[in-house]
Amino acid sequence: MTEVTDRRQLAYIAAQASEARINVELEAEGMTLNIGPQHPATHGTLRIVARLDGEQVMDAEPMMGYMHRGYEKLAEVRTYPQVTALVNRIDWLGSFANEVPFILAAEQLMEVEAPPRAQWIRTILFEMARIANLTLFLGDMGVQLGAVTPVFYAFRDREHVLNQIEAATGGRFHPNFDRIGGVKDDLPAGWIQQTRQSLDKIRSFCDQMEDLLLGNAIFEQRTRGVGVIPADVAQAYGLSGANIRASGVDWDLRRDNPTETGLVYDQVDWKVWTHPDGDSFARYWVRLQEVRESCSIVDQLLGSIPKGPIMAKVPRIIKVPAGEAYVATENPLGIMGYYVVSKGGLEPFRVKIRSASFSNMSITPWLLKGTYVPDVITILASLYFILGDIDR
Amino acid sequence: MPSPDPENTEVEVDEPRQGLLDSITQHLGDAVVASHLAPGRELWVRVETSAWPEAASVLQRRLGYRFFDWLSAIDWMESPYGRSMDAEVDKELGLVETEASEAETVAPTGADGYAGGESRMQVLARVHSIDAQLGVTLKADVPDMSIGTWTNTFPGAEWHEREACEMFGINFEGHPGLRPLYLPSDFQGNPMRKDYPLLARIIKPWPGIVDVEPMPEASDQGASTTNPEAAS
Amino acid sequence: MTSILALDYGYGGSVGLKLLLAFVAVLIPAGGTVYLYLFKMVSFMQSRLGPMEAGPFGSMQLLAEVGKSAQKEDIFPESADRFVFAAAPYVVMVSTFLLVLVVPFGPDAVFVNFDTGIFFALAVSSVSVIGILMAGWASASKYSLLGGLRAAGQLIAYELPLVLAVVGVVVQAESMNMQDIVSAQYNGEIFGWAAIGNPFILTQFAGFLIFMIAVQAELTQTPFDMPIAESELVAGYMTEYSGFRFLMFFIGEFATANIFAFLGATLFLGGWTVPPFVTDALGVEITDNIFNFIGPAIMGIKMLALTFVVYWVRFTYPRFREDQLQRFAWKVLIPLSLVNIVVTGLFKVVL
Amino acid sequence: MGLLPGGLVKGLGVTLGEIVKTVTQGAQTVQYPHQKEQPAPRSRGVIALHEENCTACMLCSRECPDWCIYIEGHKDLAPPRRAGGKPRKVNKLDRFDIDFGLCMYCGICVEVCPFDALFWTPEYEYSEPRIADLLHDKTRLSQWMQTVPEFESYEAGAEVKVKKVPR
């Protein structure tokens, strides 16, 4: 494992970053290049208007809204179960992870707590959504840099995780499995044993990625020192998840969020991975370790599922008492939070969706200034955003 | 409605958030209009509209709340369109309040939100401190649809404010470029306002409205009715 | 050389036959490698089976592709320079066909036996740069322009290591004639041991490595595929092409890869000959007529081996950024090839 | 320029190993039209209607977020349970359509149905050239009933009872 600590490497990175900043001052009339909305490097329909001087980007401004579905408006005319079915379409790669914070916010307002078995199942599926999401990133980063083979390994091994999610919830991409007060159904027989096999496949996939990409000198040259984000700038823009941990900030809501009662991360011993550099290589490395960490979390949880019911006492027609609640969880892409305001009716009065990729992307105008065109693609790939998450 | 002042919550006094509330009031003085503390959960503080940018810089520089979580707005007006999913049977089940009488409709305010509010539109924002592991939600009324910007303290607020501006129509003074973020440039109106209709729900009639018709009389309906004698 | 296989065709006939053989020598191996490497090897590498529907084991897939592309509409971008846009693929194909003239497939099975064969081959191989630039510039689209300019910079930068790597071979074989290079490898011996002759891959290993890396760059293959960076420039200089024109670029890419593999086999793997101990065992003389038939087969095997390496590298590695690949060419490959020439010269003089 | 060949060669080894594994142990992919993968019994392919249970109570069409269930029924007299008793007033179903062009497969209708008339089947091969044909009517939905698999037994430690599918 390539642990970068020596000062020489950090000095090299700092020099690279400052050199890129200086030569952007030359105000020549450049060429405007539209990257997107129909472009292989944007995960969905994002358009970046970049003003180029030769190959160097003078300034880049992402244009969004091609996939704006207006979730916050829709949520105001839907009942709580309907919103859960709707809301797992925001980050469609790790979609169970979208439902959990909304349900936790509603449970907080209704003063209801899910029984332990339901919390265990909820945490297991939450981590499997993270594995499914980040496995695709590990493969996709390769294809953005030109290596076509890793992404096929990613899809091949991710398929087993999706099959397990489908076996338990019924839907591969949109499980709609979380309910206020617990989960919809229990795990089918033999599920735990099959899930363990799919986790072994993911672990061997991580080792393959380590050999194929991390060890590859070309990959290292393309990603080290590219898109360096210092910790304080990351915080000012609200970056979250692996992006901020790769800049050296040791912060993970799964461990540091006391108010959360819905997930059982305190029953499992696991480690939060950080990296001092803050460049694209660090973001890739942190996410690779996080996938391995999630595999071990799911393994421990599978071994200790308590007996008991999977649904608390909740009335059939759910009317959430008036009040406001904000719950945020550590989703695969970063922090996703729901600010639910309820006036006691069948539907929420207002749902503010704090999505991770929206804030992660808000740093790109600052970050892409002075980079080369191929580096724009590397940085976008390493920030790892999903368009549904940005446009909501 | 939970009582706004935190003092009389019996046993659970949340020291860290209480301390935070005191330090905020100590720094901002009378700019803090009201506050609400849900012990162990979240702290809400409502500040004067004019003190909105200053609150941001105080939190970031003096109290170390450097992580900018999010910024948005809320329209407290009751939606005139209702759920557009109401059927007579719902009224019997008591799911839908009968029509509020006209006289009672007073100007909508954020009064029943946490930490109160006087104007229809309110701006919300949340900042977090990673070392103290605490967050605070700031609120401010926006009576004349215009408020100061946060972009000079939190550059990340630029996109959030652009979204709030195009969705609610709130103007952020001093914002570098209030271009529309999501909506096409020639879009009229502010979609997230409650009085903006959700057209999908109005064009298509609600399939649940079709009620089961009463039993057809045993007259010349023909085959569709089974006359009682034959049935036994 | 108007009598081939002891039949006398007269001038017209032999030129016609040579044209047909040239087409066969370029297009059939191209079709073969497309099927073998692009359809099958990549799929196996990615744990899938590749096309299986068209023909047994998907062998007719390429015919289906050609048929599909041929009936596609031939689109010209609206503000494109029509003539230059149309001519570009042909210029790229010309350089491929000119290259194949020089490659010897047997004692007298060679299209044209120049005395300075390898010099002609290297000169002609740089014609394709003009074709690519024409394609990039004439498509009048920003992505193609970027792709075209990147290709120009890269191909010229990697001409030098290609040429210098070949100089080592020429110095060791003391001739630029392709047949002489082949016979030098057959008759040579390494410190007196002549069983396997002296294929220059052994003594010129550094030259071989530089040659293969330069060939990878000439073909704009990953890790040097900046001009066709599909994740940035969609398809580089080929973005605006469609239908049969795109097919010509596509097949041209594979044909050029084969021809460079033929060149590499001739220069480093002993061309159409087999090591001496095999010919002694079979009691066959190297200059017999039989080698006019076995020669192409042996060349084919050696070519497949080299193209396997080219595509193996292509589908495994990410790509360089252009300034990194330029730096790699000027600061690493060219000095290394110069050192290689000096060392070969020293050995030549000393031994 | 640090071009350490160790990492590069290991990368080549991975892909070569994959070629050998695919050739020897076969690919991970399935040749669809010839071999078909069996989806999990719980997977949500299409909705099947058990008409006897349905009392046209409209709960499913009311709860559906996409408004894609259209129901029309009429009240009717049914034979009395006990001989000589008063004829029962029963809701008869005239039309029960689900427009799978609109449906988002969320499963709220199946869950909210108080009379267990709707079930999920993992059937997925019902695509149509015309999108209008995705509107499955009552008879088509009843045909799906045969493909409804039995409910699976649960993992150890589950307190939920296994439901029965009315055939």
Side-chain angles (χ1 to χ4, degrees):
Chain A
M1 213 175 41
T2 53
E3 185 71 51
V4 174
T5 51
D6 54 59
R7 297 267 67 72
R8 184 182 55 74
Q9 194 63 29
L10 292 182
Y12 159 73
I13 287 158
Q16 264 255 332
S18 58
E19 179 247 328
R21 289 290 168 285
I22 296 162
N23 50 30
V24 88
E25 265 53 39
L26 42 99
E27 268 311 314
E29 177 46 47
M31 165 177 88
T32 349
L33 180 71
N34 276 327
I35 302 177
Q38 186 52 38
H39 191 273
T42 55
H43 303 257
T45 51
L46 165 79
R47 173 168 157 236
I48 294 190
V49 179
R51 226 158 46 74
L52 298 186
D53 168 22
E55 282 273 342
Q56 209 157 18
V57 175
M58 311 283 289
D59 69 21
E61 209 234 329
M63 312 279 250
M64 296 169 294
Y66 292 93
M67 199 181 280
H68 179 60
R69 295 158 288 192
Y71 273 106
E72 294 175 1
K73 184 78 175 175
L74 288 178
E76 285 162 8
V77 286
R78 275 177 164 61
T79 63
Y80 281 83
Q82 286 172 349
V83 172
T84 25
L86 196 70
V87 111
N88 60 39
R89 278 156 169 71
I90 291 180
D91 160 20
W92 57 73
L93 282 180
S95 50
F96 182 76
N98 305 328
E99 301 168 15
V100 168
F102 177 71
I103 291 294
L104 293 182
E107 279 180 357
Q108 211 176 78
L109 282 174
M110 286 180 73
E111 312 292 343
V112 163
E113 199 184 331
R117 186 176 177 86
Q119 289 183 10
W120 242 266
I121 295 176
R122 205 183 262 169
T123 319
I124 290 171
L125 287 174
F126 192 87
E127 283 306 313
M128 288 183 72
R130 179 188 314 281
I131 292 172
N133 197 336
L134 294 185
T135 325
L136 190 78
F137 161 78
L138 297 176
D140 175 72
M141 183 79 170
V143 87
Q144 302 293 348
L145 297 176
V148 288
T149 319
V151 79
F152 282 93
Y153 296 162
F155 273 110
R156 175 197 65 196
D157 290 334
R158 188 169 169 269
E159 214 47 44
H160 304 287
V161 174
L162 290 184
N163 289 347
Q164 285 315 107
I165 293 178
E166 182 181 16
T169 65
R172 289 158 49 88
F173 260 59
H174 301 300
N176 186 16
F177 193 66
D178 211 355
R179 295 292 177 270
I180 293 182
V183 277
K184 173 178 158 193
D185 209 344
D186 213 313
L187 302 176
W191 191 79
I192 292 182
Q193 211 272 331
Q194 279 159 15
T195 310
R196 288 228 164 90
Q197 282 162 9
S198 72
L199 290 182
D200 297 341
K201 290 203 170 59
I202 296 289
R203 287 196 189 90
S204 73
F205 163 74
C206 287
D207 304 340
Q208 266 183 338
M209 282 305 116
E210 181 115 26
D211 298 346
L212 255 182
L213 288 180
L214 270 190
N216 196 314
I218 302 172
F219 180 82
E220 228 163 304
Q221 265 181 43
R222 276 294 300 277
T223 49
R224 276 213 193 278
V226 169
V228 180
I229 306 176
D232 51 356
V233 175
Q235 284 187 31
Y237 277 94
L239 258 70
S240 56
N243 296 331
I244 201 164
R245 283 195 286 279
S247 303
V249 176
D250 184 0
W251 178 40
D252 189 325
L253 275 189
R254 293 177 285 181
R255 177 193 63 189
D256 307 334
N257 189 347
T259 62
E260 205 176 34
T261 53
L263 297 172
V264 284
Y265 285 104
D266 38 17
Q267 314 289 333
V268 178
D269 66 345
W270 55 283
K271 179 175 184 300
V272 176
W273 292 91
T274 60
H275 195 286
D277 286 1
D279 56 8
S280 307
F281 184 83
R283 287 188 278 274
Y284 186 87
W285 185 81
V286 166
R287 287 198 180 98
L288 182 66
Q289 311 310 332
E290 268 180 17
V291 169
R292 287 193 176 125
E293 206 56 45
S294 293
C295 286
S296 87
I297 291 176
V298 174
D299 247 342
Q300 293 170 44
L301 284 175
L302 285 176
S304 61
I305 301 185
K307 292 190 178 23
I310 50 161
M311 196 62 182
K313 289 282 332 121
V314 168
R316 191 166 169 66
I317 297 164
I318 292 158
K319 294 180 79 171
V320 177
E324 298 174 25
Y326 176 73
V327 170
T329 53
E330 186 68 40
N331 277 41
L333 297 173
I335 291 178
M336 176 169 232
Y338 289 84
Y339 188 83
V340 179
V341 174
S342 155
K343 278 192 171 177
L346 275 171
E347 318 84 36
F349 181 76
R350 164 88 165 104
V351 175
K352 159 64 189 172
I353 302 164
R354 192 267 187 213
S355 64
S357 304
F358 185 78
S359 305
N360 293 348
M361 273 299 286
S362 59
I363 199 170
T364 41
W366 175 83
L367 192 58
L368 294 180
K369 239 192 256 300
T371 55
Y372 292 104
V373 170
D375 282 349
V376 167
I377 308 296
T378 316
I379 293 167
L380 289 182
S382 71
L383 279 176
Y384 193 46
F385 53 87
I386 303 276
L387 250 296
D389 223 16
I390 300 177
D391 286 354
R392 289 191 300 270
Chain B
M1 263 314 301
S3 64
D5 40 23
E7 276 67 22
N8 57 15
T9 43
E10 308 76 19
V11 59
E12 262 172 289
V13 180
D14 189 331
E15 291 72 24
R17 288 197 172 78
Q18 189 58 48
L20 168 61
L21 178 58
D22 302 342
S23 52
I24 291 177
T25 38
Q26 185 236 338
H27 275 94
L28 287 174
D30 58 4
V32 174
V33 176
S35 72
H36 174 74
L37 190 145
R41 291 222 171 107
E42 183 63 348
L43 168 69
W44 283 270
V45 171
R46 187 156 65 85
V47 292
E48 287 295 336
T49 314
S50 54
W52 179 251
E54 190 215 342
S57 58
V58 156
L59 273 167
Q60 187 191 37
R61 294 196 179 82
R62 290 226 189 75
L63 303 176
Y65 277 69
R66 276 191 300 280
F67 184 79
F68 169 76
D69 212 341
W70 49 270
L71 183 145
S72 185
I74 190 164
D75 174 3
W76 284 102
M77 180 174 128
E78 202 58 46
S79 161
Y81 304 99
R83 289 175 52 223
S84 65
M85 275 166 75
D86 305 334
E88 290 65 27
V89 72
D90 288 342
K91 292 203 172 49
E92 292 124 24
L93 288 175
L95 294 178
V96 175
E97 294 82 15
T98 49
E99 286 318 320
S101 60
E102 277 320 310
E104 204 203 69
T105 50
V106 78
T109 70
D112 41 22
Y114 284 171
E118 281 87 28
S119 71
R120 168 185 169 191
M121 287 287 179
Q122 260 192 349
V123 168
L124 295 148
R126 186 170 189 279
V127 281
H128 190 86
S129 146
I130 292 181
D131 353 332
Q133 286 310 334
L134 272 183
V136 60
T137 310
L138 288 166
K139 284 190 174 185
D141 290 340
V142 188
D144 47 14
M145 301 309 285
S146 170
I147 196 166
T149 176
W150 267 28
T151 38
N152 25 47
T153 45
F154 290 109
E158 193 196 334
W159 281 13
H160 296 256
E161 284 178 356
R162 271 172 65 187
E163 185 197 8
C165 163
E166 75 180 347
M167 288 295 170
F168 289 90
I170 298 170
N171 171 31
F172 290 88
E173 299 122 4
H175 187 282
L178 274 178
R179 304 178 301 278
L181 187 69
Y182 289 142
L183 302 172
S185 41
D186 50 6
F187 189 89
Q188 257 76 34
N190 307 92
M192 275 304 286
R193 286 191 176 184
K194 284 291 190 311
D195 48 16
Y196 190 92
L198 183 61
L199 292 183
R201 281 287 161 108
I202 292 172
I203 299 167
K204 179 174 181 185
W206 181 47
I209 210 132
V210 171
D211 228 337
V212 183
E213 299 94 7
M215 189 178 73
E217 274 58 35
S219 57
D220 51 19
Q221 231 60 31
S224 82
T225 60
T226 55
N227 48 34
E229 295 77 18
S232 59
Chain C
M1 230 265 299
T2 57
S3 70
I4 294 172
L5 314 174
L7 295 171
D8 188 2
Y9 291 97
Y11 185 74
S14 69
V15 165
L17 191 64
K18 279 187 184 167
L19 259 182
L20 175 71
L21 278 177
F23 264 96
V24 163
V26 168
L27 291 184
I28 303 296
T33 41
V34 165
Y35 170 69
L36 202 57
Y37 292 131
L38 187 64
F39 292 154
K40 283 302 160 189
M41 182 191 94
V42 174
S43 321
F44 290 158
M45 204 190 268
Q46 290 155 359
S47 59
R48 55 190 171 87
L49 291 183
M52 297 291 277
E53 292 304 315
F57 295 104
S59 45
M60 293 305 126
Q61 179 71 19
L62 187 59
L63 291 189
E65 296 270 347
V66 167
K68 175 202 73 168
S69 300
Q71 48 92 16
K72 278 268 176 35
E73 187 203 356
D74 201 357
I75 301 167
F76 279 88
E78 188 244 352
S79 56
D81 177 339
R82 297 183 74 84
F83 172 71
V84 175
F85 184 83
Y90 296 104
V91 170
V92 172
M93 289 297 271
V94 154
S95 85
T96 319
F97 281 98
L98 288 179
L99 264 172
V100 88
L101 295 183
V102 159
V103 174
F105 290 96
D108 36 5
V110 64
F111 291 103
V112 174
N113 194 0
F114 286 124
D115 283 347
T116 58
I118 191 67
F119 178 77
F120 169 83
L122 293 174
V124 148
S125 75
S126 58
V127 164
S128 63
V129 179
I130 306 164
I132 291 173
L133 253 179
M134 281 164 67
W137 196 267
S139 318
S141 106
K142 294 191 175 93
Y143 285 113
S144 313
L145 179 66
L146 275 177
L149 295 180
R150 284 182 182 179
Q154 169 181 321
L155 294 181
I156 292 160
Y158 278 86
E159 292 280 325
L160 270 169
L162 192 69
V163 168
L164 294 175
V166 168
V167 165
V169 166
V170 166
V171 162
Q172 185 150 359
E174 292 144 16
S175 136
M176 286 218 269
N177 183 322
M178 299 290 267
Q179 292 291 15
D180 297 352
I181 295 174
V182 166
S183 54
Q185 289 178 49
Y186 179 73
N187 304 326
E189 78 276 334
I190 311 159
F191 307 120
W193 176 60
I196 59 161
N198 173 18
F200 287 148
I201 186 170
L202 303 180
T203 53
Q204 290 282 335
F205 190 71
F208 174 70
L209 271 187
I210 298 164
F211 181 82
M212 287 315 288
I213 292 173
V215 158
Q216 191 86 6
E218 284 295 315
L219 302 169
T220 60
Q221 304 264 4
T222 322
F224 304 95
D225 78 340
M226 262 304 151
I228 319 170
E230 63 275 357
S231 69
E232 296 145 32
L233 303 178
V234 185
Y237 55 87
M238 295 194 277
T239 323
E240 300 303 331
Y241 281 84
S242 68
F244 203 73
R245 244 176 270 285
F246 177 78
L247 196 71
M248 288 181 64
F249 267 123
F250 177 71
I251 297 291
E253 194 189 307
F254 279 87
T256 329
N258 293 346
I259 309 302
F260 271 116
F262 279 140
L263 273 182
T266 321
L267 295 175
F268 293 98
L269 298 177
W272 47 269
T273 60
V274 279
F277 70 88
V278 172
T279 48
D280 303 347
L282 295 175
V284 169
E285 206 35 55
I286 195 67
T287 56
D288 291 3
N289 204 352
I290 186 77
F291 269 93
N292 284 335
F293 296 97
I294 307 173
I298 300 167
M299 279 293 277
I301 295 162
K302 290 179 181 169
M303 178 271 287
L304 285 181
L306 285 183
T307 35
F308 176 80
V309 172
V310 166
Y311 288 108
W312 185 15
V313 165
R314 170 180 174 174
F315 294 118
T316 310
Y317 286 158
R319 73 173 69 88
F320 276 112
R321 215 178 41 202
E322 336 64 288
D323 60 330
Q324 286 164 350
L325 61 89
Q326 298 287 351
R327 200 176 302 140
F328 180 58
W330 295 103
K331 287 191 179 160
V332 173
L333 281 191
I334 290 174
L336 210 62
S337 49
L338 290 175
V339 161
N340 176 31
I341 295 167
V342 163
V343 164
T344 326
L346 269 177
F347 269 100
K348 204 65 207 161
V349 162
V350 161
L351 284 188
Chain D
M1 265 247 307
L3 248 191
L4 27 96
L8 294 171
V9 173
K10 209 165 10 148
L12 288 176
V14 168
T15 34
L16 191 64
E18 205 51 47
I19 292 180
V20 168
K21 205 194 296 176
T22 315
V23 169
T24 50
Q25 297 157 8
Q28 309 268 340
T29 52
V30 163
Q31 302 299 321
Y32 172 66
H34 315 301
Q35 316 137 6
K36 290 197 176 121
E37 249 182 4
Q38 182 52 27
R42 240 185 226 185
S43 99
R44 303 197 286 259
V46 77
I47 299 173
L49 165 70
H50 187 61
E51 208 172 336
E52 289 76 23
N53 289 8
C54 175
T55 63
C57 68
M58 296 286 182
L59 255 179
C60 54
S61 80
R62 185 167 297 130
E63 283 299 317
C64 169
D66 293 352
W67 294 6
C68 65
I69 301 179
Y70 309 103
I71 298 176
E72 273 151 29
H74 64 276
K75 286 196 171 56
D76 212 340
L77 290 182
R81 263 194 212 87
R82 285 173 280 91
K86 217 157 39 51
R88 288 177 295 109
K89 271 220 268 302
V90 166
N91 287 343
K92 272 286 170 288
L93 206 57
D94 292 344
R95 170 185 182 225
F96 189 102
D97 296 352
I98 297 182
D99 185 350
F100 284 109
L102 290 176
C103 173
M104 64 173 176
Y105 299 91
C106 58
I108 287 182
C109 53
V110 173
E111 209 182 312
V112 89
C113 175
F115 304 101
D116 287 349
L118 290 172
F119 296 92
W120 279 110
T121 55
E123 204 56 40
Y124 56 88
E125 283 156 334
Y126 54 92
S127 58
E128 304 283 345
R130 263 168 22 101
I131 198 160
D133 301 346
L134 278 180
L135 185 75
H136 289 191
D137 62 357
K138 187 168 56 159
T139 48
R140 184 100 189 262
L141 293 174
S142 308
Q143 280 157 16
W144 293 125
M145 266 316 280
Q146 289 94 22
T147 63
V148 175
E150 281 307 320
F151 284 98
E152 294 167 292
S153 58
Y154 286 106
E155 195 64 64
E159 286 180 0
V160 187
K161 290 189 307 311
V162 180
K163 292 205 286 288
K164 278 287 302 137
V165 175
R167 279 288 175 239

